[in-house]
Amino acid sequence: MSTTIQPMTAEELLMMPKDGFRYELVKGELKKMSPAGFEHGVVGMTLGMLLAYYVKANNLGVVCLAETGFKIASDPDTVLAPDASFVRRERIPQSGLPKAFYPGAPDLAVEVVSPGDTKKEVAGKVEDWLTAGASAVWIVNPKRRTVTVHRPQAEAITLGENDELDGQDVVPGFRCNVSEIFA
């Protein structure tokens, strides 16, 4: 006798009691994530802060930090939470900020590589975000002190500490030295 496991929905994920862990939902399957390490948190916050100040000063939209869920697929549901993200002002519903998960991908998803992340896992996240409609994905690697910029149908570009990260048409006018992210 076999038992069929019912996939979890985004609504069920949202209603889960807080237990100190972060979760993502991948094709209806709950994925438990350990809390981020200290370096991971500082690097993600630094880039998130740089983005947030710029975005707010220029009224471009909103920047979200880790644990903000984006529902990028339905039936079965997929809800992912990048380490930082940006959503353009014109994509914020006129009714206001969604109380539940944002419906769709952010314009920019930022993922900070953790020591235990494999290349395959990181590549999978990039693919998930771009397939869901993100205009750019920035992979921040604290160990290598690099930022790799991924865009749909474009070659990935890896920037080192002596390079400048440019928001291009996704976050127009945003620029920072890669070294600032790791300072």
Side-chain angles (χ1 to χ4, degrees), residues 55-67:
V55 166
K56 186 170 179 85
N58 291 282
N59 194 28
L60 297 177
V62 295
V63 172
C64 304
L65 289 178
E67 299 185 25

Side-chain angles (χ1 to χ4, degrees), residues 4-23:
T4 304
I5 297 174
Q6 189 72 7
M8 179 177 265
T9 67
E11 291 74 25
E12 291 169 325
L13 174 62
L14 189 62
M15 300 310 292
M16 280 182 56
K18 305 297 179 220
D19 65 0
F21 289 95
R22 291 176 44 204
Y23 294 93

Side-chain angles (χ1 to χ4, degrees), residues 161-181:
E161 285 189 275
N162 296 324
D163 295 319
E164 182 179 68
L165 177 60
D166 181 343
Q168 298 173 320
D169 62 332
V170 180
V171 188
F174 175 80
R175 287 181 158 66
C176 77
N177 293 322
V178 171
S179 61
E180 285 182 71
I181 299 165

Side-chain angles (χ1 to χ4, degrees), residues 39 43 112-115 140-146 182:
E39 179 184 51
V43 169
V112 178
V113 178
S114 295
V140 181
N141 190 322
K143 183 178 179 182
R144 293 202 165 113
R145 300 175 78 82
T146 61
F182 305 107

Side-chain angles (χ1 to χ4, degrees), residues 1-176:
M1 179 179 210
S2 65
T3 305
T4 304
I5 297 174
Q6 189 72 7
M8 179 177 265
T9 67
E11 291 74 25
E12 291 169 325
L13 174 62
L14 189 62
M15 300 310 292
M16 280 182 56
K18 305 297 179 220
D19 65 0
F21 289 95
R22 291 176 44 204
Y23 294 93
E24 290 185 324
L25 192 60
V26 179
K27 297 180 182 171
E29 184 180 335
L30 191 64
K31 302 283 185 182
K32 188 177 194 179
M33 300 163 55
S34 297
F38 193 77
E39 179 184 51
H40 182 116
V42 170
V43 169
M45 182 63 179
T46 300
L47 180 52
M49 181 183 65
L50 292 169
L51 268 172
Y53 283 141
Y54 180 82
V55 166
K56 186 170 179 85
N58 291 282
N59 194 28
L60 297 177
V62 295
V63 172
C64 304
L65 289 178
E67 299 185 25
T68 302
F70 290 84
K71 184 178 177 187
I72 63 169
S74 298
D75 298 320
D77 294 354
T78 294
V79 176
L80 300 180
D83 293 303
S85 55
F86 164 69
V87 177
R88 285 180 233 189
R89 181 174 31 89
E90 56 270 17
R91 293 188 60 225
I92 301 297
Q94 287 190 355
S95 59
L97 299 175
K99 303 290 185 234
F101 302 123
Y102 184 87
D107 294 287
L108 168 66
V110 178
E111 296 283 1
V112 178
V113 178
S114 295
D117 289 344
T118 66
K119 287 181 182 181
K120 183 178 178 180
E121 289 169 334
V122 172
K125 285 269 182 130
V126 170
E127 179 69 23
D128 289 343
W129 287 122
L130 293 178
T131 299
S135 297
V137 180
W138 294 348
I139 300 298
V140 181
N141 190 322
K143 183 178 179 182
R144 293 202 165 113
R145 300 175 78 82
T146 61
V147 177
T148 303
V149 177
H150 298 266
R151 301 284 307 258
Q153 285 139 42
E155 189 80 23
I157 299 168
T158 299
L159 306 170
E161 285 189 275
N162 296 324
D163 295 319
E164 182 179 68
L165 177 60
D166 181 343
Q168 298 173 320
D169 62 332
V170 180
V171 188
F174 175 80
R175 287 181 158 66
C176 77

